[in-house]
């Protein structure tokens, strides 16, 4: 999978070059390219923002630099995503769906937003990562990319995907590793028993308890 990220702040994406996503790129499973929108500005000062018509607070990202940056990478099969607080709410199903595309393009807005004509021309999927407003789309893009990458074959093991939160519609059960006792806190006996059937039952029970306590809405959906 190839992912192109259009941004005014390419330096903010170093997280994508660590840990699991770093390995996925080294193994050529995912290719991530950062495209600096400023390089496409036709303004003599490389300006990429301007005041909103009709007035209002702050600045908007202009259409021309984004249009040219996008056209430089867009192909016939490209799926375009615009992270925005006014998009549909992100979840694991959307991540899974996005993981099936060969080419994703992310447009990172900044300041007060972007010129509506970017959306009218390219019709991106608008995705919100939650009901709060970030200073830009960079963090939201990273959240979406990190999450969808886990569904791309070869990035993490199949077992990890199947066992985790949301794959079963429930939250994940508590997990423990060595030592079996720490500051008087003991790992539940069943997990040390070697009885896989009992372990599976215990995990299912804990998973249900946790979901009921923390996210009862998951049972209603
Ligand atoms: N950009 C700013 N806030 C955002 C949010 N909540 N989700 C996605 N993109 C955003």
């Amino acid at each position: 999978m190839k992912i192109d990220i259009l941004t005014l702040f390419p330096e903010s994406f170093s997280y994508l070059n660590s840990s699991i996503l770093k390995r996925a790129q080294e193994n050529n499973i995912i290719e991530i390219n950062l495209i600096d929108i400023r390089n496409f500005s036709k303004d003599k000062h490389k300006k990429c923002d301007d005041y909103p018509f009709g007035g209002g607070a702050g600045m908007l990202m202009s259409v021309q630099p984004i249009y040219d940056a996008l056209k430089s990478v867009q192909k016939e099969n490209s799926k375009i995503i615009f992270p925005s607080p006014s998009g549909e709410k992100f979840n694991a199903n959307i991540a899974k769906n996005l993981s099936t595309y060969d080419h994703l393009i992310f447009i990172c807005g900044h300041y007060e937003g972007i010129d509506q004509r970017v959306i009218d021309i390219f019709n991106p999927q608008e995705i919100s990562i939650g009901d709060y407003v970030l200073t830009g789309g960079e963090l939201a893009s990273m959240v979406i990319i990190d999450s969808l990458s886990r569904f791309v074959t070869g990035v993490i093991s199949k077992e990890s995907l199947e066992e985790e939160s949301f794959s079963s519609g429930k939250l994940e059960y508590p997990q423990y590793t060595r030592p079996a006792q720490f500051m008087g806190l003991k790992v539940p006996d069943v997990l040390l028993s070697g009885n896989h059937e009992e372990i599976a039952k215990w995990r299912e029970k804990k998973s249900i308890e946790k979901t009921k306590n923390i996210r009862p809405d998951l049972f209603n959906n």
Side-chain angles (χ1 to χ4, degrees), residues 164-220:
E164 70 187 14
S165 289
F166 304 111
S167 61
S168 62
K170 299 191 291 292
L171 302 183
E172 195 174 29
Y173 45 79
Q175 302 234 62
Y176 302 86
T177 184
R178 286 189 292 183
Q181 205 178 137
F182 182 72
M183 292 176 68
L185 294 173
K186 281 180 67 189
V187 172
D189 287 335
V190 62
L191 298 180
L192 311 176
S193 70
N195 184 331
H196 294 292
E197 204 175 305
E198 286 302 315
I199 291 171
K201 266 198 237 165
W202 181 87
R203 286 178 166 165
E204 173 74 5
K205 183 171 149 250
K206 288 290 169 187
S207 191
I208 292 171
E209 276 174 17
K210 195 167 176 184
T211 311
K212 268 189 190 153
N213 280 333
I214 298 173
R215 291 293 306 276
D217 58 297
L218 291 177
F219 287 121
N220 305 331

Side-chain angles (χ1 to χ4, degrees), residues 15 42 44 73 83 98 187 208:
Y15 174 77
K42 288 183 176 149
K44 64 173 183 267
V73 290
L98 292 178
V187 172
I208 292 171

Side-chain angles (χ1 to χ4, degrees), residues 1 79 81 94-101 125 127 144:
M1 164 185 280
K79 167 83 173 167
I81 297 135
I94 297 176
K96 206 182 244 181
N97 171 262
L98 292 178
S99 75
T100 63
Y101 288 86
Q125 182 170 356
I127 300 175
I144 298 168

Side-chain angles (χ1 to χ4, degrees), residues 83-85 127-130 132-134 136-137 140:
S84 147
I127 300 175
S128 165
I129 63 162
Y132 43 81
V133 180
L134 302 164

Side-chain angles (χ1 to χ4, degrees), residues 82-88 90 107 109-111 126-141 144:
F82 174 49
S84 147
S86 5
E88 65 182 301
F90 190 55
I107 308 169
H110 218 89
Y111 314 120
E126 288 186 70
I127 300 175
S128 165
I129 63 162
D131 291 340
Y132 43 81
V133 180
L134 302 164
T135 55
E138 282 77 14
L139 279 172
S141 292
I144 298 168

